[in-house]
Amino acid sequence: MNGGSQYLLALFIVEHREAPPVSPSVVAEAVGRTPATVIEVFHQFDDEGLLTYEPYDGAELTPKGRKRAEDLHKTYVTLSWFFRSVLDLDNYESEAMEMVGVVSPEVAERLATTLPDGGRVAEMSDGAGTPSPSSGAAETSDTAGTSDTAGTSE
């Protein structure tokens, strides 16, 4: 799962901000796609058992989908942290969103060990799930998130 990872991750993040089911238009805005494209992906994920999708209601992650999305979120946070603290990229969130399904968990883990605080990056965020190396990064429990502008090009 490569490009679809962005949709699953975005749904996971939005589910932490608002109660499911989540409208395809909200996920579309987060990943920079059209709602129609998101609906297509939602149908595919529904068939794979990663989420349930009801037209006019929205989508909700299944336990299987939530587990996969949690793993993607850990990679996303690691990549965001690396892109911000090591590469000093201004658009670190959108870059991380682009790469989240491409980077294996092993690579993300190795990247994390090269970062400040020796690999605890997946536990650190600014309270919205976004890495915050400049602030010392407080630990979070189960929050997740990204900026609403962390999109991708279609």
Side-chain angles (χ1 to χ4, degrees):
M1 176 170 23
N2 187 358
S5 300
Q6 298 170 357
Y7 300 90
L8 201 61
L9 176 59
L11 179 59
F12 176 78
I13 291 167
V14 173
E15 276 191 358
H16 278 79
R17 292 185 180 157
E18 51 189 70
V22 174
S23 165
S25 62
V26 175
V27 174
E29 185 177 324
V31 297
R33 302 288 199 265
T34 66
T37 301
V38 173
I39 290 169
E40 285 182 43
V41 174
F42 279 0
H43 282 297
Q44 176 187 346
F45 285 163
D46 196 359
D47 292 345
E48 294 174 19
L50 298 173
L51 58 79
T52 56
Y53 174 68
E54 292 294 329
Y56 308 107
D57 285 334
E60 183 172 356
L61 290 168
T62 62
K64 177 181 174 184
R66 182 166 314 287
K67 171 65 176 125
R68 179 141 342 142
E70 287 170 352
D71 293 342
L72 290 168
H73 186 258
K74 288 177 187 175
T75 299
Y76 167 77
V77 171
T78 300
L79 289 170
S80 294
W81 185 283
F82 180 80
F83 293 156
R84 182 174 179 189
S85 66
V86 176
L87 300 181
D88 196 28
L89 296 176
D90 290 333
N91 57 345
Y92 59 93
E93 290 176 319
S94 61
E95 292 291 339
M97 185 67 83
E98 284 282 335
M99 302 240 354
V100 74
V102 179
V103 175
S104 72
E106 180 183 0
V107 170
E109 187 176 314
R110 288 185 182 198
L111 276 175
T113 62
T114 67
L115 297 172
D117 291 323
R120 290 185 46 225
V121 68
E123 300 172 10
M124 299 179 195
S125 74
D126 63 4
T130 306
S132 180
S134 62
S135 67
E139 289 187 28
T140 60
S141 56
D142 63 349
T143 56
T146 183
S147 73
D148 292 335
T149 59
T152 61
S153 59
E154 190 161 16

